Amino acid sequence: MEVDELLRRWGGVATRAQLLTRLSRSEVDRTLVNGSVLRVGHGRYGLPHLTADLARAHGLSAVVSHESAALQHGWSVLLPPEQSHLTFPTKRRVKAVDLPDVVLHRADLLPDDISGSHTSQDRTMLDCLRIPDVRRALSVADSALRAGRAPAWLHRIAAEARGPGSGQARRVAAHATDCAANSFESGLRAISLDVPALRMRPQVRLHDRSGEFMGRPDLVDTELRIIAEADSFEWHGGRSALVRDARRYNRFVVEGWMVLRFTWDDVVLEPARVQATLAAAAEERSQPRKTPQNRRNYDVDSVRPRTKFQKPNVR
């Protein structure tokens, strides 16, 4: 998989350690030289279009904002935007149709809302918390906490939010955590929030009945004993990884867990399908457990020994 595609699936930014799982040290250094990736902070790298966002904002006398600004701060997003998010003053005469490569936002920003050519961290987080798509909003919030921002900072921004989207901001802040491994996992957890029966928690350590550690799945509902894994090919594509994961998942099932596996395409492109699957799983696990006595015996003829003169069934 190409470096830019990896970064896109990792949320637009990655640490050097992440890049070294797929590239050698010399290859990482080479990507910096040829511009395939850009340094956006200490030990953090991003997609090259970050420079284009800044140049576009400067040329239009605008400010890089929302998810485009989140990337500038080194925070990952669920899906890096293909268009630059730019904020213009409310009275500025500009039409979206005249800027096809720009997602146009309007706001009268205060001096403290701006840091260079992009919005400040506080303003960027406020804008992202208000994004109607909870998957995208939670991905940015989780990433900021993972990058070192304190939960109190996030809750303050949400509490001070007023106007449209303020309720959404407080909801996202309440569920944000630095335990989420990446934006892909955050997106999956965001979908689970709309399944009332589920209470998915990230990176929970699980042990078997003897107390031996089994693993730390992406998302776990300990009451319904459901595991949801955000499966990425880049982490599970090798033979050794396949063997390790197969054994791990089998062990979870033997211990009574339902294991669901979702791909990046599922979470990003078909969230409704993912939500339906999670809801069906929650409903099934909420039902009384069936015993062997009341289980229906399917296809008895296929397991009953034939007599000497019995003709085989033709299906």
Side-chain angles (χ1 to χ4, degrees), residues 183-228:
S183 56
F184 174 19
E185 180 189 297
S186 297
L188 177 56
R189 193 170 92 258
I191 296 173
S192 76
L193 297 179
D194 289 327
V195 181
L198 278 179
R199 297 292 183 272
M200 305 299 284
R201 295 162 50 206
Q203 304 296 318
V204 176
R205 294 174 61 88
L206 298 183
H207 299 79
D208 63 17
R209 280 165 282 195
S210 67
E212 185 177 350
F213 177 66
M214 294 191 298
R216 192 172 60 185
D218 294 330
L219 297 174
V220 175
D221 185 315
T222 53
E223 294 296 322
L224 297 180
R225 297 181 70 81
I226 295 176
I227 292 172

Side-chain angles (χ1 to χ4, degrees), residues 20-305:
L20 288 175
T21 63
R22 302 293 295 171
L23 304 171
S24 67
R25 293 181 182 277
S26 61
E27 287 174 326
V28 171
D29 294 335
R30 194 179 307 126
T31 61
L32 288 170
V33 173
N34 64 26
S36 298
V37 297
L38 299 175
R39 196 188 306 272
V40 295
H42 179 67
R44 298 181 71 80
Y45 304 88
L47 292 165
H49 75 237
L50 296 180
T51 300
D53 289 343
L54 293 175
R56 191 172 292 113
H58 181 74
L60 295 171
S61 298
V63 178
V64 178
S65 62
H66 295 75
E67 288 162 299
S68 295
L71 292 172
Q72 298 288 343
H73 292 302
W75 303 335
S76 62
V77 301
L78 180 63
L79 185 63
E82 296 181 357
Q83 300 168 290
S84 300
H85 285 267
L86 302 182
T87 294
F88 295 82
T90 55
K91 294 183 179 180
R92 171 84 178 277
R93 292 186 178 181
V94 59
K95 297 181 180 179
V97 293
D98 297 330
L99 302 170
D101 58 344
V102 168
V103 180
L104 191 152
H105 303 275
R106 292 188 180 278
D108 293 321
L109 301 175
L110 300 174
D112 289 344
D113 291 334
I114 303 173
S115 175
S117 296
H118 50 77
T119 50
S120 64
Q121 290 198 1
D122 283 23
R123 180 68 197 206
T124 300
M125 181 53 64
L126 175 61
D127 289 337
C128 289
L129 287 175
R130 284 173 162 157
I131 297 174
D133 188 335
V134 180
R135 297 172 304 160
R136 294 164 51 197
L138 188 62
S139 295
V140 177
D142 283 354
S143 180
L145 297 181
R146 198 163 53 244
R149 295 304 317 226
W153 167 80
L154 180 66
H155 294 153
R156 173 184 61 79
I157 292 174
E160 293 175 354
R162 296 292 181 271
S166 57
Q168 155 95 359
R170 284 185 273 276
R171 182 192 182 205
V172 172
H175 290 284
T177 174
D178 62 353
C179 295
N182 50 58
S183 56
F184 174 19
E185 180 189 297
S186 297
L188 177 56
R189 193 170 92 258
I191 296 173
S192 76
L193 297 179
D194 289 327
V195 181
L198 278 179
R199 297 292 183 272
M200 305 299 284
R201 295 162 50 206
Q203 304 296 318
V204 176
R205 294 174 61 88
L206 298 183
H207 299 79
D208 63 17
R209 280 165 282 195
S210 67
E212 185 177 350
F213 177 66
M214 294 191 298
R216 192 172 60 185
D218 294 330
L219 297 174
V220 175
D221 185 315
T222 53
E223 294 296 322
L224 297 180
R225 297 181 70 81
I226 295 176
I227 292 172
E229 291 278 46
D231 275 344
S232 299
F233 177 79
E234 56 266 22
W235 299 119
H236 303 279
R239 180 181 179 85
S240 60
L242 175 63
V243 171
R244 181 182 65 249
D245 290 341
R247 291 173 179 172
R248 178 170 175 260
Y249 293 143
N250 288 343
R251 194 174 179 190
F252 288 145
V253 173
V254 169
E255 289 292 324
W257 294 89
M258 175 188 286
V259 180
L260 304 175
R261 304 175 68 173
F262 299 99
T263 66
W264 183 89
D265 297 81
D266 291 330
V267 172
V268 174
L269 304 178
E270 298 194 65
R273 182 189 295 272
V274 174
Q275 183 180 338
T277 300
L278 290 172
E283 182 180 3
E284 196 281 332
R285 295 296 273 191
S286 299
Q287 300 300 320
R289 300 262 60 85
K290 297 178 181 179
T291 62
Q293 288 74 25
N294 63 19
R295 234 180 242 159
R296 182 178 175 184
N297 193 358
Y298 291 96
D299 203 8
V300 175
D301 287 343
S302 65
V303 297
R304 182 182 299 154

